[in-house]
Amino acid sequence: MIKTPSSCDGVLFRGRKYSPGERKGSNSMVIKKVSLETVCGVTSKLPDTQLPELAFAGKSNVGKSSLINVLMNRKALARTSAQPGKTQTINYYNINQALYFVDLPGYGYARANEQVKAQWGKMVENYLHKSGQLRLVFLLIDIRHAPSENDRIMYHWILENGYDPVIIATKLDKIKRSQVQSQLKQIRTGLGAEEGIRFIPFSAQTKQGREEIYRIIDAILEENV
């Protein structure tokens, strides 16, 4: 069950309701203003936001920053760390003053020490448990590989906190079209995913999958108008 808010300030994207001056009939999400508004570290208190939050979770190097940049129509607002596994913050991106994209710390970096790994886990679990505005979690998994143990842990954390994740199978352009369905089946089986869990193959290079993600975002916002 996806938790939903009781109200929202309005839909600024492709839904049936538009703000003044919004162009109808657009084929893609209309991004008017985005900003990195809040960065939370290990000891930081989560912000008391008043807008719906969509969170992005996944292991280091799975393409989280690339996905967020594609969705925001920005080249590098969400930056990939030069040293994988070094990002230890929760980043809140304000989108059109209508919602937040929340970038959770990447997990599973092999060279991180156990203390750092424990901090990442604590931060993510704390966010899933305490965020009052979280509406949906996108869980990113590399389509080329079976889910790792950390992927399975994250999947079950999301479920245990009352959310049905949307699985984004990243790096679609790295495999042949004929392999897509078998790779998705491998991910579904590896996670032990329940019926009804949505899977979206995605490529940051070709942007395939972006429109389907936009439709999910639109639907969430429309439910909360």
Side-chain angles (χ1 to χ4, degrees):
M1 176 180 67
I2 297 174
K3 296 180 181 179
T4 56
S6 59
S7 64
C8 179
D9 290 340
V11 177
L12 299 182
F13 306 134
R14 299 181 309 151
R16 290 186 294 273
K17 296 188 178 182
Y18 297 81
S19 61
E22 181 77 23
R23 180 169 62 88
K24 298 185 181 182
S26 174
N27 290 323
S28 62
M29 191 172 181
V30 179
I31 302 293
K32 294 184 175 182
K33 183 179 180 181
V34 299
S35 63
L36 175 56
E37 185 172 291
T38 305
V39 176
C40 293
V42 174
T43 60
S44 302
K45 181 180 178 181
L46 294 175
D48 183 17
T49 65
Q50 300 302 311
L51 298 173
E53 298 172 11
L54 306 181
F56 297 80
K59 68 181 181 181
S60 300
N61 289 336
V62 75
K64 211 153 35 69
S65 295
S66 297
L67 169 62
I68 292 172
N69 282 325
V70 167
L71 294 178
M72 295 191 301
N73 288 326
R74 299 296 188 273
K75 290 184 177 181
L77 183 56
R79 294 188 179 276
T80 303
S81 175
Q83 293 180 285
K86 290 296 184 181
T87 302
Q88 299 179 40
T89 57
I90 299 175
N91 301 327
Y92 288 73
Y93 295 92
N94 189 314
I95 313 296
N96 288 356
Q97 296 294 320
L99 77 159
Y100 288 98
F101 287 171
V102 181
D103 185 6
L104 300 176
Y107 55 80
Y109 183 55
R111 293 172 62 182
N113 63 44
E114 293 304 315
Q115 181 180 1
V116 170
K117 291 178 182 178
Q119 289 177 340
W120 290 341
K122 182 178 180 181
M123 290 173 67
V124 172
E125 191 171 23
N126 182 59
Y127 172 78
L128 293 175
H129 183 66
K130 292 185 178 181
S131 173
Q133 296 294 340
L134 179 59
R135 301 298 179 249
L136 179 66
V137 182
F138 293 104
L139 176 58
L140 281 63
I141 296 178
D142 190 327
I143 197 169
R144 299 173 295 178
H145 308 299
S148 66
E149 178 62 22
N150 285 317
D151 291 326
R152 289 189 287 272
I153 290 171
M154 177 59 68
Y155 173 75
H156 287 290
W157 274 359
I158 295 167
L159 291 178
E160 289 166 6
N161 280 279
Y163 303 93
D164 289 341
V166 172
I167 310 301
I168 307 296
T170 62
K171 306 192 179 183
L172 177 63
D173 53 286
K174 303 296 185 182
I175 65 172
K176 297 178 181 179
R177 183 177 298 182
S178 61
Q179 297 176 297
V180 172
Q181 292 307 314
S182 63
Q183 293 302 111
L184 290 176
K185 182 178 180 180
Q186 177 179 245
I187 294 173
R188 181 182 291 276
T189 301
L191 291 176
E194 301 175 354
E195 287 295 325
I197 296 295
R198 289 169 289 185
F199 284 74
I200 301 176
F202 174 80
S203 167
Q205 297 298 317
T206 68
K207 299 181 175 55
Q208 183 174 338
R210 182 175 65 173
E211 293 299 315
E212 189 172 352
I213 297 171
Y214 282 166
R215 286 193 290 271
I216 290 172
I217 296 172
D218 279 339
I220 289 173
L221 290 175
E222 283 192 339
E223 287 174 3
N224 300 288
V225 172

